[in-house]
């Protein structure tokens, strides 16, 4: 058999499947719970370390990548120089932890960020975007001729996303889920991993306060509406804020 025949019979290399890539990331990070990033509003998303090697210099750089509502976000981690891909991935996760980009769930003793069936149901019912209350509110406001941006940053340099943004009148509307934001009437606390959730939900409320203060300091009006508020009442609150802005001195 000549060399040509041998090359034809050689099976081509197979690209790893999505599940295999995920397992590789889990192994390098130290488990799926060690791969979480906080994207705001009490929401967590899994991230991956991406390795890029320069064909000119041979230098390998690591970056962190995650997806939010169909958009890919990334952060640079730095140069990695280990001898194997696995070692470089582990080094990338170490750099991500050092940079404070990851939720420190493992060190807090959390087996899973949604470890009980009840908590998982709560997570699934608290989507980050396009929830039913948001859609109803948008529909009412749009029917009145009001135009807005959806799921946008009021301030480009501030990593905070509002559900509705009215740039001209500088009004930011947040439709807050009862679970994540600690509704006094409907908020609940998971019984499993209670210490972790106490800190997590408290931090969400602190972040809400920080967001409010930063936007107000920049001249914005902030409206927070609980998800259980009737759509008509929510729309009226937004209309009143817009009227106050447009009729002011």
């Amino acid at each position: 058999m000549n060399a040509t025949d041998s090359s034809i019979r050689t099976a081509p290399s197979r690209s790893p499947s999505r599940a295999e890539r995920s397992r590789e990331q889990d192994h390098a990070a130290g488990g799926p719970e060690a791969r979480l990033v906080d994207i705001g509003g009490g929401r967590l998303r899994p991230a991956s370390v991406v390795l890029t090697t320069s064909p000119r210099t041979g230098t390998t750089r690591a970056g962190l990548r995650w997806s939010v509502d169909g958009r890919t976000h990334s952060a640079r981690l730095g140069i990695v120089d280990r001898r194997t891909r696995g070692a470089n991935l582990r080094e990338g996760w170490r750099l991500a932890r050092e940079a404070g980009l990851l939720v420190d769930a493992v060190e807090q003793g959390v087996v899973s960020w949604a470890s009980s069936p009840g908590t998982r149901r709560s997570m699934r019912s608290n989507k980050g975007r396009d929830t039913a209350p948001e859609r109803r509110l948008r529909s009412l406001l749009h029917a009145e001729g009001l135009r807005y941006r959806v799921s946008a940053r009021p301030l480009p340099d501030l990593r905070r996303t509002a559900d509705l943004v009215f740039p001209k009148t500088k009004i930011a509307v947040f439709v807050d889920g009862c679970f994540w934001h600690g509704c006094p009437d409907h908020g609940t606390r998971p019984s499993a991993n209670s210490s972790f959730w106490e800190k997590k939900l408290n931090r969400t409320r602190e972040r809400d306060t920080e967001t409010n203060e930063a936007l107000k300091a920049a001249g914005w009006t902030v409206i927070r509406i609980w998800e259980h508020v009737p759509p008509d009442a929510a729309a009226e609150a937004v209309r009143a804020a817009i009227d106050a802005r447009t009729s002011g001195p």
Side-chain angles (χ1 to χ4, degrees):
M1 181 182 294
N2 59 37
T4 302
D5 292 334
S6 177
S7 63
I8 292 174
R9 291 173 181 268
T10 300
S13 59
R14 181 180 66 85
S15 298
S17 68
R18 188 172 183 177
E20 288 171 335
R21 290 195 299 268
S22 182
R23 285 194 294 270
E24 179 187 47
Q25 293 286 339
D26 288 347
H27 179 73
E33 300 86 4
R35 293 176 54 193
L36 301 175
V37 295
D38 188 337
I39 63 170
R43 295 179 293 163
L44 306 180
R45 290 292 184 274
S48 295
V49 165
V50 179
L51 303 176
T52 305
T53 301
S54 169
R56 183 173 62 86
T57 64
T59 301
T60 299
R61 294 182 179 273
L64 195 68
R65 184 178 296 170
W66 63 96
S67 179
V68 181
D69 300 326
R71 290 184 177 183
T72 299
H73 299 257
S74 62
R76 295 179 180 178
L77 298 175
I79 295 175
V80 291
D81 58 358
R82 301 301 190 262
R83 296 181 62 182
T84 65
R85 172 179 169 80
N88 278 334
L89 286 175
R90 289 193 294 274
E91 178 66 7
W93 284 112
R94 186 189 69 78
L95 292 173
R97 284 190 290 272
E98 279 191 355
L101 295 170
L102 305 175
V103 174
D104 197 4
V106 172
E107 291 187 14
Q108 295 183 53
V110 181
V111 175
S112 169
W113 74 288
S115 56
S116 70
T119 302
R120 283 191 288 273
R121 285 193 295 271
S122 294
M123 300 304 100
R124 294 188 184 108
S125 66
N126 284 273
K127 297 194 301 180
R129 178 177 174 178
D130 291 332
T131 62
E134 289 177 36
R135 293 197 304 272
R136 289 194 293 267
L137 176 58
R138 295 200 309 246
S139 178
L140 288 172
L141 296 175
H142 193 276
E144 295 186 18
L146 298 175
R147 297 299 179 260
Y148 42 79
R149 296 175 62 196
V150 176
S151 192
R153 292 184 184 182
L155 301 176
D157 295 334
L158 181 67
R159 296 185 62 180
R160 299 292 195 276
T161 300
D163 297 305
L164 297 177
V165 175
F166 296 83
K168 291 184 178 180
T169 51
K170 298 184 74 172
I171 293 173
V173 180
F174 298 82
V175 181
D176 290 339
C178 291
F179 173 82
W180 284 113
H181 297 267
C183 170
D185 297 322
H186 306 102
T188 59
R189 296 292 177 92
S191 57
N193 303 316
S194 58
S195 177
F196 166 75
W197 284 109
E198 183 76 21
K199 294 177 182 177
K200 180 64 181 173
L201 298 180
N202 285 344
R203 177 55 188 150
T204 299
R205 289 198 296 272
E206 292 171 0
R207 187 181 175 89
D208 290 344
T209 300
E210 293 168 1
T211 300
N212 295 348
E213 292 174 350
L215 291 177
K216 290 176 182 177
W220 284 72
T221 294
V222 179
I223 301 175
R224 288 194 175 270
I225 301 169
W226 290 115
E227 64 178 346
H228 66 261
V229 171
D232 289 341
E236 180 57 35
V238 176
R239 285 193 297 266
I242 293 174
D243 290 343
R245 279 284 196 173
T246 55
S247 62

